[in-house]
Amino acid sequence: MVMQPVLYVILLGLVMIVYARFIPKEQTTASSANATVVQEIEDTIEHFAAEMDEQNQAMLDLFSKTKQDYEVELAKLAGRLETLERQKHELSKELTTLHVNQPPVLSPAEMLSALNAPNHDIPATVNVIESAPDLLPEEPVYVGLSMKSRYSELFTLHDQGKSVEAIAKKLSMNKGEVSLILQLSRQEERTRV
């Protein structure tokens, strides 16, 4: 049997109809898959943005707490500084009052020159010391006037192991003066103990 051309046209039409029905379904499936992927990406981005907001808020809270702690600590330190300045001022007044009432103190260089000079050149305070050593009042030790605080650079060099000659040269002092200061410091430490 020979097929007639009408049958060919009908068969071809049926194949096209069946094929046309499958194509839109595949495109619909692909577009729904794309829509699902796009939705997942949007959800992920929203989740990331929410996490970033939480982290930013946590950082802001941390910075504000740190700032408050800093301000509290700064206020404490300012109060302590003010108290210390007041104490320093009061101690300076007391020290000035004590120095006004005390006889002049010879420097180590003046003591050396007085000890090496003939008796007629020795100041009256040294003559009194030689004539009546038992009558000397015990000198008070001032906290702010220790040998180590007055000659801090000298003692720093001495603590570094520098020799008396090197210290004298560096500070433009006599070797005898440096030795005297070191000896007086040792005596001062013994009297404090």
Side-chain angles (χ1 to χ4, degrees):
M1 139 159 158
V2 177
M3 283 210 196
Q4 296 181 358
V6 174
L7 282 176
Y8 286 121
V9 172
I10 293 175
L11 279 178
L12 184 62
L14 285 174
V15 170
M16 286 177 62
I17 290 172
V18 170
Y19 183 72
R21 288 201 174 212
F22 286 119
I23 290 177
K25 288 184 181 177
E26 289 176 9
Q27 287 180 354
T28 306
T29 307
S31 67
S32 68
N34 286 342
T36 306
V37 169
V38 169
Q39 184 64 35
E40 287 177 3
I41 291 173
E42 288 176 355
D43 291 344
T44 305
I45 290 173
E46 287 177 15
H47 182 68
F48 178 73
E51 284 182 1
M52 289 298 290
D53 285 342
E54 289 174 11
Q55 288 177 355
N56 286 342
Q57 188 60 42
M59 289 295 282
L60 287 174
D61 293 343
L62 178 66
F63 281 129
S64 65
K65 184 181 180 308
T66 304
K67 182 181 177 187
Q68 289 172 350
D69 292 347
Y70 170 76
E71 289 173 351
V72 167
E73 192 64 28
L74 186 64
K76 286 180 186 177
L77 290 175
R80 287 181 63 193
L81 179 64
E82 187 177 315
T83 303
L84 289 172
E85 285 177 348
R86 218 176 307 118
Q87 288 175 351
K88 178 194 163 274
H89 183 68
E90 291 169 4
L91 289 173
S92 294
K93 282 183 180 178
E94 287 180 33
L95 193 59
T96 304
T97 306
L98 288 173
H99 277 297
V100 168
N101 296 335
Q102 294 290 328
V105 177
L106 298 176
S107 72
E110 293 171 333
M111 289 174 125
L112 278 176
S113 64
L115 291 174
N116 293 331
N119 279 344
H120 66 278
D121 289 341
I122 297 175
T125 55
V126 176
N127 285 333
V128 169
I129 291 172
E130 290 176 357
S131 63
D134 301 339
L135 300 176
L136 282 177
E138 196 172 305
E139 285 190 37
V141 179
Y142 301 114
V143 175
L145 296 177
S146 70
M147 294 299 285
K148 288 198 175 196
S149 67
R150 283 191 284 180
Y151 300 100
S152 61
E153 189 174 4
L154 184 142
F155 286 102
T156 303
L157 293 171
H158 183 262
D159 291 341
Q160 292 174 355
K162 304 287 184 192
S163 67
V164 172
E165 292 83 18
I167 296 171
K169 187 174 183 180
K170 173 111 174 137
L171 299 178
S172 303
M173 299 171 78
N174 295 326
K175 288 188 272 184
E177 188 176 4
V178 172
S179 297
L180 180 64
I181 291 169
L182 292 171
Q183 288 174 352
L184 290 173
S185 171
R186 285 186 214 111
Q187 286 178 349
E188 181 180 69
E189 287 176 4
R190 275 187 246 133
T191 58
R192 287 187 180 186
V193 176

